[in-house]
Structures are given as structure tokens and as C-alpha cells.
């Protein structure tokens, strides 16, 4: 999981701020000095690119780490003008601003994974720096679901009242949870953390059993909206249970989508019914879960090519274009097929 720091990048002073922020995150994630140094170079290059190219308002840099440490991720987000030729922009020496174009080449060389989506509506570039330079996801079986997400506190809050978890089993199954503590700030975060603790205790208990356990665990908190999704790729099955306002959408390869059903209520307080639903897990599909910090009116097919990008890039685009901007925002995306080409 990631819990992200959001840095608005507007002018050159943001570049140092981005460097300092990523060094703090890298230290908390227990990265070595060498790996933290790589992350700082990448942060500088991403921020420099935003200052140079993201017109007129600048962009955003999200910096996060895996919950257990060991990896740092950055997502650079802007609203335009977009890169005409993404492949060339990724090569060292190419620049449209008449300056040495080292930035994106450095991102490519210094991260273990990266991906980009660029259109006239803007660019989202994601990269992941793993301790020791080892790529964890490269070791996944080729049909294992790819996933990523982001979680950003409401404006003027340092603690995020949303939280998410994702756990993989040896046999390829994935268990995923999003919790949105009521309101925002520290009391919302308390509820979300309690949901994470209940999830961590038995991540592959059934979604219904997990919500029941959370109903007890969150009774002394403000309560939360929670959804749990478990995917069994070998069985081609998604099992889902939700209470409250977490939006779940399953998108098939042809772009058709269906909403996943949650009952009304608040985990920890009034819950009328906890119910599990099974859905077919599509062979080339996507699962998108998000908190109500995002609007629900997005349509992925309006972004040609986006559905095949890395889940982190999809999450970044949805955050950029649909965040409400007054609440914690969390988006998690899981893809049943590898991204690419
Ligand atoms: Mn919320």
C-alpha cells in the first residue's frame, strides 16, 4: 500500500522540496543511502520537468512507500500540454524546451519500473524504486494481477483518513481492502487504521468475515466505509463485500463496466447487512476501487490506451481528473493482464 505525500510543483523552489520529501519517505521506508540517492535524483528530474513543461499551473508530485518499506514510488501529474512523442521523451538528450533533456532518461535508468500516459489532457508518469534495485513485480507469475494505488489526505491534513491494503497469497490470490474513516483528520485515520489491523490479522478470511471482524474492531471509533475484494485468477472469480460509500467498478477488455454492490451503513456502527457477491474476473479486465474523495462519473474509455497502462498510472489519471479536493482521496487499481506494450 501507499500513503502519499502530495507536493504541488509550481516553481523551482518546489524542486528542493520534492527532494527533501522523497528523502524523508525513503528513510522511513528503510532504503539505503544509495537507493535514497537514486530516488532524490528522480524526484528532482520529475519536479524539474513539471516546472519546465507543465503549463500554466504546474503539476503535482505524489511520493509514497510500501507499507512494509523497501520501495518508494513517485507519480508525476500534470494537465498539459502532453508529450508529443513519449518514446523519444524517454531517451536521454531529447527535449522540447531547448535544454539538455536528461530528465526522463534518468527516470528510466534509475527506477526499477516506470510507465507513462500522455495525451493533450496531460501526462501521468509513475516510477518505482526498489531497495537494492531488485524488481519485485517482475518476479510475479505472468498472469498474476498487477496492482497499485494512491492515498492522499484532504487539504490541510497530514494524516489520511483513508487507508488501503493489498496482500498476495502464494497461490496467486489477491486480497484488497479500502477503508474510508468518517470525515477526515486524526479521528478518521483511527478508524481506517483499525480496519487495516483487522485486515492484516487474516487477509484471506472471506470478505464477509473481514467486514464482521471490522464491525467489532471499529465500534470504539468514528466508523468507516469499507470494501474488500478478493480475486482468485485461477478460478476466474472476484468476491466482493462492501458497506458504505466505496465505489467498486469492474471493467472488461471491451470497455464495458459494472458497478460492484455495497450495502448502506457504517462499519463500526449501523450496518444493516453484510453480504458477499461473486463476479467473473475478466481475463483482460480492470478492477477500480476508490473512496468518495473521487467523483464516480469517470469513463476509462474516454482515455484511449489508458486501460493498458500500469495500474499506478490509471490511478494517477483518475486522481488528477476526478478528485473532489475537499476529502481524503484513495484509488486502487488491479489489472488482470500485464500492462504494455
Ligand atoms: Mn471520504
Amino acid at each position: 500500500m501507499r500513503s502519499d505525500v502530495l507536493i504541488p510543483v509550481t516553481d523551482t523552489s518546489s524542486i528542493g522540496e520534492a527532494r527533501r520529501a522523497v528523502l524523508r519517505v525513503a528513510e522511513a521506508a528503510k532504503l539505503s543511502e544509495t537507493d535514497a540517492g537514486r530516488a532524490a535524483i528522480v524526484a528532482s528530474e520529475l519536479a524539474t520537468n513539471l516546472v519546465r513543461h507543465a503549463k500554466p499551473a504546474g503539476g503535482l508530485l505524489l511520493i509514497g512507500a510500501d507499507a512494509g518499506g523497501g520501495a518508494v514510488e513517485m507519480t508525476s501529474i500534470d494537465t498539459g500540454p502532453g508529450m508529443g512523442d513519449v518514446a523519444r521523451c524517454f531517451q536521454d538528450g531529447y527535449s522540447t524546451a531547448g535544454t539538455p533533456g536528461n530528465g526522463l532518461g534518468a527516470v528510466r535508468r534509475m527506477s526499477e519500473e516506470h510507465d507513462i500516459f500522455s495525451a493533450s489532457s496531460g501526462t501521468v508518469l509513475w516510477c518505482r524504486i526498489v531497495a537494492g534495485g531488485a524488481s519485485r513485480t517482475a518476479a510475479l507469475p505472468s498472469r498474476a494481477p498487477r496492482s497499485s494505488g494512491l492515498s492522499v489526505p484532504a487539504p490541510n491534513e497530514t494524516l489520511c483518513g483513508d487507508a488501503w491494503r493489498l496482500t498476495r497469497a502464494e497461490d496467486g490470490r489477491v486480497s484488497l481492502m479500502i477503508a474510508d474513516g468518517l470525515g477526515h483528520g486524526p479521528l478518521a485515520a483511527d478508524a481506517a487504521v483499525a480496519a487495516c489491523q483487522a485486515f492484516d490479522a487474516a487477509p484471506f478470511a472471506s470478505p464477509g468475515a473481514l467486514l464482521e471482524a471490522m464491525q467489532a474492531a471499529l465500534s470504539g471509533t468514528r466508523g468507516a466505509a469499507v470494501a474488500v475484494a478478493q480475486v482468485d485468477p485461477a478460478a476466474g472469480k472476484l468476491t466482493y463485500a462492501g458497506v458504505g460509500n466505496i465505489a467498486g467498478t469492474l471493467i472488461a477488455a471491451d470497455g464495458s463496466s459494472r458497478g460492484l454492490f455495497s450495502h448502506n451503513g457504517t462499519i463500526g456502527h449501523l450496518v444493516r447487512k453484510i453480504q458477499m457477491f461473486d463476479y467473473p474476473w475478466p481475463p483482460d479486465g480492470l478492477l477500480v476501487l476508490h473512496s468518495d474523495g473521487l467523483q464516480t462519473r469517470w469513463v476509462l474509455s474516454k482515455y484511449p490506451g489508458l486501460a493498458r497502462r500500469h495500474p499506478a498510472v490509471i490511478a494517477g489519471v483518475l486522481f488528477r481528473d476526478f478528485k473532489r479536493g475537499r476529502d481524503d482521496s484513495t484509488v486502487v487499481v488491479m489489472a488482470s493482464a500485464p500492462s504494455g506494450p
Side-chain angles (χ1 to χ4, degrees):
M1 81 164 264
R2 283 169 69 179
S3 174
D4 295 76
V5 178
L6 184 150
I7 313 272
V9 178
T10 48
D11 56 45
T12 50
S13 71
S14 316
I15 300 168
E17 195 189 338
R19 277 184 69 91
R20 288 190 293 278
V22 82
L23 286 171
R24 282 195 300 274
V25 171
E27 187 181 4
K30 301 183 183 67
L31 260 60
S32 70
E33 233 171 271
T34 310
D35 292 330
R38 285 195 291 145
I41 291 169
V42 169
S44 297
E45 299 294 356
L46 292 174
T48 302
N49 272 305
L50 288 174
V51 171
R52 279 193 193 141
H53 301 292
K55 300 284 166 42
L60 300 173
L61 190 62
L62 297 179
I63 304 171
D66 287 11
V72 167
E73 297 189 11
M74 284 174 262
T75 308
S76 156
I77 296 174
D78 70 56
T79 54
M83 300 174 183
D85 183 337
V86 167
R88 281 186 71 200
C89 289
F90 253 113
Q91 286 165 11
D92 282 327
Y94 177 81
S95 170
T96 53
T99 48
N102 295 323
L104 295 180
V107 173
R108 193 194 61 214
R109 282 181 283 104
M110 297 211 173
S111 63
E112 275 62 56
E113 286 183 87
H114 52 262
D115 197 19
I116 188 167
F117 179 75
S118 191
S120 57
S121 56
T123 299
V124 170
L125 195 163
W126 162 83
C127 65
R128 179 172 167 86
I129 290 157
V130 181
S135 175
R136 286 179 188 170
T137 46
L140 288 174
S142 63
R143 298 304 296 177
R146 261 63 177 170
S147 56
S148 192
L150 56 86
S151 189
V152 178
N156 305 317
E157 296 285 1
T158 47
L159 281 174
C160 191
D162 291 352
W164 65 281
R165 282 285 196 268
L166 186 144
T167 303
R168 295 174 182 281
E170 297 267 320
D171 61 6
R173 287 178 303 145
V174 179
S175 186
L176 167 62
M177 189 260 327
I178 292 193
D180 174 356
L182 241 63
H184 47 85
L187 294 177
D190 285 348
V193 166
C196 288
Q197 287 167 346
F199 179 86
D200 291 345
F204 287 95
S206 74
L210 280 166
L211 292 186
E212 297 283 0
M214 290 175 198
Q215 172 68 1
L218 271 66
S219 62
T221 74
R222 224 185 233 192
V226 183
V228 177
Q230 287 176 350
V231 171
D232 184 340
K237 190 175 81 168
L238 165 72
T239 306
Y240 189 81
V243 168
N245 208 0
I246 302 289
T249 307
L250 196 52
I251 302 159
D254 65 4
S256 62
S257 70
R258 68 193 295 181
L260 307 181
F261 186 81
S262 283
H263 280 286
N264 291 331
T266 303
I267 289 286
H269 296 281
L270 183 67
V271 172
R272 302 180 77 110
K273 194 171 186 185
I274 288 173
Q275 189 176 8
M276 293 193 282
F277 297 90
D278 285 339
Y279 301 88
W281 176 239
D284 287 296
L286 287 170
L287 169 67
V288 179
L289 298 183
H290 64 80
S291 68
D292 65 357
L294 268 78
Q295 299 166 334
T296 52
R297 59 181 175 80
W298 51 269
V299 178
L300 213 60
S301 57
K302 288 189 177 165
Y303 300 87
L306 179 60
R308 291 188 306 280
R309 301 326 315 165
H310 190 280
V313 172
I314 298 171
V317 170
L318 294 178
F319 174 76
R320 179 189 68 193
D321 294 346
F322 297 99
K323 64 180 179 297
R324 293 182 203 271
R326 55 175 189 270
D327 194 2
D328 308 310
S329 304
T330 299
V331 197
V332 185
V333 179
M334 194 185 312
S336 54
S339 53

